[in-house]
Amino acid sequence: MDLWTAIQALILGVVEGLTEFLPISSTGHQIIVADLIGFGGQRAMAFNIIIQLGAILAVMWEFRRKILDVVTGLPTRPEARRFTANLIVGVLPAMVLGVLFSDLIHEYLFNPITVAVALVVGGFIMLWAENRQHVIHAETVDEMTWVDALKVGFAQCLAMIPGTSRSGSTIIGGLLFGLSRKTATEFSFFLAMPTMVAASVYSGYKYRDLFQPGDLAVFAVGFIASFIFAMIAVRALLKFIATHSYAVFAWYRIAFGLLILATWQFGWVDWSSVQG
């Protein structure tokens, strides 16, 4: 592993960790940053699986007490069984649609311009969702029904479009469906766990030939960076939403998306992945 490769791995690991659980699209940022620093090809596909796994393990560690409480409570506590059932219901739409359409989406939509448009559109939707009057019927994740979980699960499917944001789709969807901001955010985190683990296992098996022993050091750098910065981002977000709305993320999305579109329109950046 040469120095520049190590730096690329570190940069992309940090980007993944910071953006995976914020409503600003980690996939979109990965596509744009990877294009800028020239990290692509089949090696990058395998690398992305590893750093996503690092991010999801970080949030699982952060919520380990809740996970342990649910697991140990399954035999005796109805709320633990209901919570588990909600997660299963919530993850099913993305699993089914992901298997059916992931290759087509990756082929036609994984480029910086699609990301930029989705960032801008999603930003305006977030502003609209934040400014409308909220009617809340679930103040905690334990108060959610299976119908709430299913609705959020379908909202999560929008994140298959790069730039939309998985956490953004589930959080804003939760707000629209009557969840409190804290509940929508926490359920988004919990829903990410089975969704991303399943996606990582599926992708890892599908692209198992891309994993080479010589890339172990590169993967380790990205994995560790993603794990550390995902934990930082999750803790910061939970503190932030206690007193703030998601409007700041919406404005960031709009500004960043318009910047990417401007660089493309005026030829300031050669977005190579757009060509052909």
Side-chain angles (χ1 to χ4, degrees), residues 10-260:
L10 179 62
I11 291 172
L12 292 172
V14 171
V15 170
E16 169 65 21
L18 290 178
T19 60
E20 181 60 56
F21 300 104
L22 301 182
I24 56 176
S25 178
S26 62
T27 301
H29 281 73
Q30 286 289 338
I31 291 171
I32 290 169
V33 174
D35 196 276
L36 283 173
I37 65 177
F39 191 87
Q42 293 185 329
R43 186 191 205 185
M45 188 177 297
F47 178 78
N48 286 337
I49 296 171
I50 296 298
I51 59 176
Q52 285 181 348
L53 186 60
I56 194 58
L57 289 178
V59 80
M60 290 174 72
W61 176 255
E62 186 65 19
F63 286 95
R64 61 192 182 278
R65 289 190 180 89
K66 174 67 174 179
I67 296 172
L68 182 61
D69 183 57
V70 170
V71 172
T72 56
L74 283 174
T76 58
R77 295 172 50 223
E79 60 269 28
R81 291 193 290 270
R82 184 170 63 251
F83 178 78
T84 303
N86 285 346
L87 285 183
I88 294 172
V89 169
V91 79
L92 285 177
M95 290 182 65
V96 173
L97 294 180
V99 170
L100 292 176
F101 299 111
S102 61
D103 288 342
L104 287 174
I105 291 172
H106 196 279
E107 181 178 357
Y108 293 107
L109 298 182
F110 269 56
N111 62 74
I113 304 310
T114 299
V115 168
V117 172
L119 283 170
V120 173
V121 173
F124 281 114
I125 292 175
M126 286 179 68
L127 289 176
W128 169 75
E130 280 286 8
N131 289 327
R132 69 191 294 273
Q133 185 176 0
H134 296 160
V135 179
I136 298 172
H137 68 263
E139 290 286 352
T140 69
V141 291
D142 291 327
E143 295 177 5
M144 291 178 58
T145 67
W146 71 268
V147 176
D148 295 326
L150 184 62
K151 289 178 180 178
V152 175
F154 276 111
Q156 181 174 234
C157 295
L158 295 173
M160 290 191 294
I161 302 171
T164 302
S165 170
R166 189 206 58 78
S167 59
S169 299
T170 52
I171 291 170
I172 297 305
L175 293 178
L176 294 176
F177 302 142
L179 309 185
S180 69
R181 185 174 285 106
K182 183 175 183 293
T183 299
T185 303
E186 289 189 356
F187 190 70
S188 173
F189 290 158
F190 287 118
L191 194 59
M193 298 176 195
T195 301
M196 292 178 62
V197 168
S200 295
V201 171
Y202 173 75
S203 298
Y205 176 77
K206 185 176 181 179
Y207 301 110
R208 58 191 180 279
D209 294 337
L210 302 181
F211 293 90
Q212 302 297 326
D215 290 330
L216 182 60
V218 177
F219 292 164
V221 170
F223 178 90
I224 293 171
S226 177
F227 183 93
I228 293 172
F229 282 89
M231 189 172 296
I232 293 172
V234 168
R235 292 178 179 179
L237 181 61
L238 289 173
K239 290 181 180 179
F240 180 85
I241 63 164
T243 55
H244 299 81
S245 74
Y246 281 101
V248 64
F249 297 109
W251 286 116
Y252 168 82
R253 291 174 60 107
I254 293 168
F256 187 41
L258 290 177
L259 175 62
I260 298 302

